[in-house]
Structure formats: C-alpha cells, structure tokens
Amino acid sequence: MRFLFATVLLLNISLSVFAGQKVYDFNPRCQQAYDAIMQLRINAGLQLLNDEKREHPDNLIPYYLDNYADFFLLFFNEDPALYSQRKKLRGERLDKMAEGPEDSPYYLYTQAAIKFQWALVKVKFGERWDAVWEIRRAYVAFRDNQKKFPDFVPNKMMVGALQTVFGTIPEGYKWITNILGLRGSIKQGMANVQLAVESAAASAQLFREESYYYYCYLKLFIENKPDQVWQLIHDKQLDTKNNYLFALMVAQLSMNNQKAQQGIAALADRNHSPEYADIVWENYLLGQLKLNRRTTMPPLTSNVSCPALKAVSLSKKPCRNLVGVIT
C-alpha cells in the first residue's frame, strides 16, 4: 500500500509539473497571428492569440506577439495616452518570456526583440537615454543568443540590422558606442541581413517578411542603393495591396527616392477594409508625398519663398532615428 501510494503521488507530481511547463511553440495559429499583425490586421491577430492562450496557456509565443501589436500602434500613432497605458506591459512580457526553457533559441531572442521594439517606441516619446540602454540590452541578448544558437537565422537578421546602424556612427562618437559595446560594420551587418533574406531555414522563412522590411530600409537609408530595393520588391512580389505595412513602407521609400506618385498609388490601391489598424501616420505620409509630387506644381522662382511648395523629405526615418539615439 505504501509503495502504491508513493507511486501515485510521484505520478501526480510529475504530471502537474509537466502540465505547467512553459514552451515557445510558434505553431500554425501563432504563425497566422504573426502574419496578420505584420500586415497590420492587428485585431484579427490578437483574436488568434487569445484563442491560443485559452487552449494552450503554457505557450509563451502569444505573449511575445502581443508586443508586436503594441509596437506598431505606438510607433506609428505616437499616442501619449496609449503609451502611458501600455508601457507597463514591457516588464510583464519580459518576465513572461523568462519563464520559458533556457535551452530554446527563443528564450533570449524573444526578450531581446521586446527590448528592441520598446527602444524604438521610447525614441518616439523622447526617452532617448532609456532608449540607448534598451538598445544595448537588446543587442547584447541577440549577440549572446547568436553564440549559443548560430543556426537560428532570426538572430542574424536582428544582429545584422543593429550592426549596420551602428556602423554609421560618426568617428567622433564611436568612443561612446565602444564603451557601450555597440560595435558596428555596415558590410558585415548587411551580409547578415542578406543571409536572413535568402536563407531556406524554417526559422528564416517564419520571419521572412520582417527580414524584407529591414533589408529595404537599410539598403535605401544606409547603403543608398535604391535599385536593389526596388529589385527585391519586384522579385519577391511584396503584396502592398493586402499588407498595409508593406504599403506604408513602399510609400515612404518612394518619397525618399523621388517616386512620389508611386508612393501615392501604393496607399491608394491598398486594401482599405476596416480590419486593418487605423494608422494616422498614413495621413502625414500621404501629405508629404503630395507635396513632393512636382509634376503638377509650378516651378519655384528664386524670388519666391513658399515653404509649402518646397519638396519635403520625411524626417522620421527609422534607421536615422536609431542613429540619433546614440549620437
């Protein structure tokens, strides 16, 4: 009887521990949610994540993807009230990610990605010093994860993007980045991003469209190679109609490459279904594009000063914002 009692007790304890074990399961439903959020169909993505949380409460990936939804809304709309409401979630989500198994490549990766996203949000809300340290913490975590899991391609995507940006730091400020351990190289960084874009690994395919996003911005704003940007957009047939994020990206890239009409068309032709998030930044971007469209504007004479008719370059460039944080 004692043996039977001890066996049943140990079995119950084992089942209880196993049932409560946290996992990083990027299953098909989480992939669908991620794709929806990356297209800015945020409510649809969140619904899928809520279903996953209810059916698989030990899966940590839904809580990680929640951060993407908050990131896009805060980064594009810059709503102080929403920021005040959501910023406490940063710490809660990091704590949640730390509950998972340390032998998973997602253990450090998810924490680093959350820190990276909040760094960009903090830049938007003027918290530049906090953003510097957030960037450093993210970079160190990505770098450590790359050492532990060299075959996990998303690491290269993120490390490469940061290396590229750090590589643009002026010589006079590199002593700061050296102290912080933020050493960069445009060549090495872009090689890492390129690898993520071209890799056939399952993990690379999962984050494929995100890698396109980093590639396009870095190629244009850092390397100044617009032809390669438009070639990738054409070759990969990026869906600017049903992917609102890509439509915004193409519109911004068009404005910074003297293709205002192309950018206006990308925003006009996109799917305007109410399932897409309301991104107020689109109005600003569209206005800038129309100012830059010179075909219907009279030429400015040397004795006329009219700022509203001058071509305006978008000042809020993600890559340059990140450089501005450091410098």
Side-chain angles (χ1 to χ4, degrees):
M1 286 296 294
R2 289 179 180 177
F3 175 77
L4 179 61
F5 176 77
T7 302
V8 171
L9 180 61
L10 288 173
L11 180 61
N12 285 334
I13 291 174
S14 299
L15 290 174
S16 176
V17 170
F18 180 77
Q21 185 177 6
K22 303 298 182 181
V23 296
Y24 303 100
D25 184 11
F26 224 127
N27 58 37
R29 178 158 51 194
C30 288
Q31 293 177 33
Q32 292 173 18
Y34 171 75
D35 290 341
I37 293 171
M38 288 297 295
Q39 295 169 9
L40 299 183
R41 294 188 297 112
I42 290 178
N43 287 336
L46 291 176
Q47 182 59 58
L48 288 166
L49 296 180
N50 288 335
D51 292 343
E52 178 67 16
K53 291 174 187 176
R54 184 173 57 255
E55 295 184 23
H56 302 111
D58 296 323
N59 187 5
L60 296 174
I61 292 298
Y63 300 94
Y64 165 60
L65 296 179
D66 278 340
N67 208 71
Y68 276 82
D70 284 342
F71 166 73
F72 285 126
L73 293 176
L74 290 168
F75 185 80
F76 285 127
N77 289 346
E78 301 182 43
D79 183 349
L82 185 63
Y83 179 59
S84 179
Q85 175 190 349
R86 301 287 176 87
K87 63 182 181 180
K88 65 180 180 180
L89 297 174
R90 171 199 170 276
E92 293 177 10
R93 287 172 183 153
L94 287 174
D95 290 343
K96 197 77 175 174
M97 294 305 104
E99 294 177 7
E102 296 185 25
D103 60 352
S104 167
Y106 285 105
Y107 177 79
L108 284 177
Y109 183 83
T110 55
Q111 295 178 60
I114 289 173
K115 292 170 184 175
F116 174 73
Q117 290 172 2
W118 280 100
L120 297 184
V121 169
K122 288 178 179 182
V123 172
K124 287 283 189 171
F125 289 91
E127 299 179 12
R128 296 167 65 88
W129 185 244
D130 284 348
V132 168
W133 288 105
E134 198 79 287
I135 284 290
R136 183 186 186 280
R137 286 188 288 264
Y139 177 67
V140 169
F142 281 130
R143 186 188 61 195
D144 290 347
N145 202 42
Q146 188 169 358
K147 292 177 181 176
K148 292 179 65 176
F149 303 98
D151 296 329
F152 188 65
V153 180
N155 283 325
K156 296 187 181 297
M157 174 181 71
M158 297 306 302
V159 169
L162 289 169
Q163 285 175 326
T164 303
V165 174
F166 297 154
T168 68
I169 303 298
E171 284 294 332
Y173 292 96
K174 284 191 175 179
W175 65 272
I176 300 176
T177 56
N178 288 338
I179 290 175
L180 295 174
L182 307 178
R183 296 176 178 84
S185 163
I186 294 176
K187 182 178 180 180
Q188 182 180 357
M190 286 307 301
N192 279 324
V193 175
Q194 187 81 39
L195 187 150
V197 166
E198 297 176 350
S199 174
S203 61
Q205 294 178 28
L206 182 61
F207 292 91
R208 180 74 78 213
E209 294 194 343
E210 189 171 347
S211 70
Y212 293 157
Y213 192 78
Y214 292 124
Y215 175 92
C216 289
Y217 272 103
L218 294 170
K219 273 290 179 183
L220 183 61
F221 292 129
I222 302 296
E223 288 197 312
N224 192 27
K225 295 181 178 179
D227 290 345
Q228 293 185 24
V229 173
W230 302 121
Q231 190 65 48
L232 179 133
I233 290 172
H234 176 267
D235 291 348
K236 304 300 182 182
Q237 299 182 349
L238 299 194
D239 185 4
T240 57
K241 181 176 179 61
N242 297 304
N243 188 319
Y244 188 11
L245 185 63
F246 279 166
L248 290 170
M249 179 187 75
V250 167
Q252 185 180 9
L253 296 175
S254 297
M255 186 182 62
N256 286 273
N257 196 222
Q258 293 78 51
K259 296 178 181 290
Q261 189 56 47
Q262 175 180 284
I264 293 170
L267 295 178
D269 295 342
R270 75 170 181 86
N271 188 335
H272 286 82
S273 166
E275 70 174 330
Y276 291 91
D278 182 17
I279 302 297
V280 297
W281 181 63
E282 180 186 351
N283 299 323
Y284 171 82
L285 181 55
L286 185 58
Q288 292 281 22
L289 284 164
K290 290 183 176 181
L291 283 174
N292 283 359
R293 184 175 54 185
R294 297 167 182 255
T295 56
T296 60
M297 293 182 180
L300 294 174
T301 61
S302 59
N303 61 346
V304 175
S305 177
C306 182
L309 295 179
K310 293 180 180 178
V312 181
S313 294
L314 186 63
S315 62
K316 296 183 178 180
K317 301 181 177 73
C319 297
R320 294 183 187 177
N321 265 344
L322 193 54
V323 175
V325 172
I326 307 297
T327 60

